[in-house]
Amino acid sequence: MVFKSILSFETNYAFKHFDCGDSNLNKYLKTFAYLNDENNLSKTFVGCDGEAIIGFITLCNAQIEFKEMPESYKQTMPKYPVPAIKIARLGVDTKFQNKGYGKELLLFAFKKIIQVSVSTGVKAVIVDAKENSKGFYEKYGFVDIGNNTFILLVDTLIDGLL
Ligand SMILES: CC(C)(COP(=O)(O)OP(=O)(O)OC[C@H]1O[C@@H](n2cnc3c(N)ncnc32)[C@H](O)[C@@H]1OP(=O)(O)O)[C@@H](O)C(=O)NCCC(=O)NCCS
């Protein structure tokens, strides 16, 4: 799978048949992802194999309040909000699910997040997980902090990936 910025697609025609099984995510890719990227609100990376659109992942900046942190993290956290990167959207086309592409998209994002953390500091990755994807995020070390939000500390990521 090759990763391309959504801005490298001249039209959204390539995404016409994309279906990850979630209509909101499909609509986001087809309608809003390019505009949000252009406006620097978020960044979307599309995983392709030739003409085939396998999946996409959207990242944006975020912060986490001290009170939202799991109790076990609080001892090492400041009381003010800490910088985070949010996995705002993630979808793999149903034709390609369960073949390891979701994991590949996630690892691609982790590497980008580590790069950013070196320049500006990023304490954690967060995601608002859909009910049926919670197990996916837990598999990669994300911790449930309530309200469908999951968190993974960047230090844990670096230890695991480097
Ligand atoms: C969730 C999603 C991104 C996973 O992508 P995928 O390509 O199907 O997953 P992968 O094949 O990369 O799976 C990697 C591992 O996670 C596991 N996994 C995948 N989906 C899972 C789930 N929903 N629950 C628990 N484990 C899951 C796989 O079994 C695999 O484990 P293994 O390496 O031990 O075999 C994909 O199913 C999807 O797009 N779903 C619909 C949209 C969605 O829910 N997106 C998440 C938005 S928050």
Side-chain angles (χ1 to χ4, degrees):
M1 181 163 58
V2 172
F3 297 96
K4 296 181 185 172
S5 160
I6 194 161
L7 296 183
S8 68
F9 291 82
E10 282 174 13
T11 71
N12 62 5
Y13 182 79
F15 312 127
K16 195 167 180 235
H17 299 295
F18 182 84
D19 179 14
C20 69
D22 181 301
S23 57
N24 290 328
L25 285 171
N26 295 340
K27 187 173 178 190
Y28 181 81
L29 177 66
K30 293 171 195 191
T31 315
F32 301 114
Y34 188 102
L35 292 172
N36 284 1
D37 198 309
E38 211 174 28
N39 283 330
N40 268 323
L41 295 169
S42 59
K43 292 287 154 191
T44 294
F45 304 94
V46 180
C48 317
D49 185 3
E51 298 288 295
I53 303 300
I54 293 173
F56 75 103
I57 190 160
T58 302
L59 303 176
C60 65
N61 290 308
Q63 62 179 24
I64 313 168
E65 303 278 344
F66 180 75
K67 63 177 188 299
E68 293 173 315
M69 288 285 177
E71 285 307 316
S72 55
Y73 294 1
K74 281 186 174 167
Q75 269 190 336
T76 57
M77 295 291 165
K79 297 280 188 309
Y80 50 82
V82 295
I85 290 181
K86 183 172 184 172
I87 298 174
R89 306 280 189 293
L90 168 64
V92 172
D93 191 289
T94 51
K95 291 193 290 296
F96 300 105
Q97 286 180 9
N98 299 311
K99 296 178 193 296
Y101 291 119
K103 176 183 178 180
E104 239 186 280
L105 282 157
L106 200 57
L107 292 182
F108 171 82
F110 285 168
K111 285 177 192 157
K112 287 242 171 266
I113 290 165
I114 290 172
Q115 283 167 5
V116 175
S117 79
V118 171
S119 322
T120 67
V122 180
K123 194 67 194 162
V125 188
I126 55 170
V127 63
D128 291 333
K130 296 188 185 302
E131 196 56 43
N132 61 0
S133 65
K134 288 180 176 174
F136 173 74
Y137 292 109
E138 279 169 340
K139 186 174 176 68
Y140 296 104
F142 283 82
V143 173
D144 187 349
I145 57 171
N147 293 329
N148 297 320
T149 303
F150 284 67
I151 185 174
L152 178 62
L153 295 181
V154 168
D155 287 344
T156 311
L157 252 189
I158 292 173
D159 289 346
L161 283 186
L162 301 182

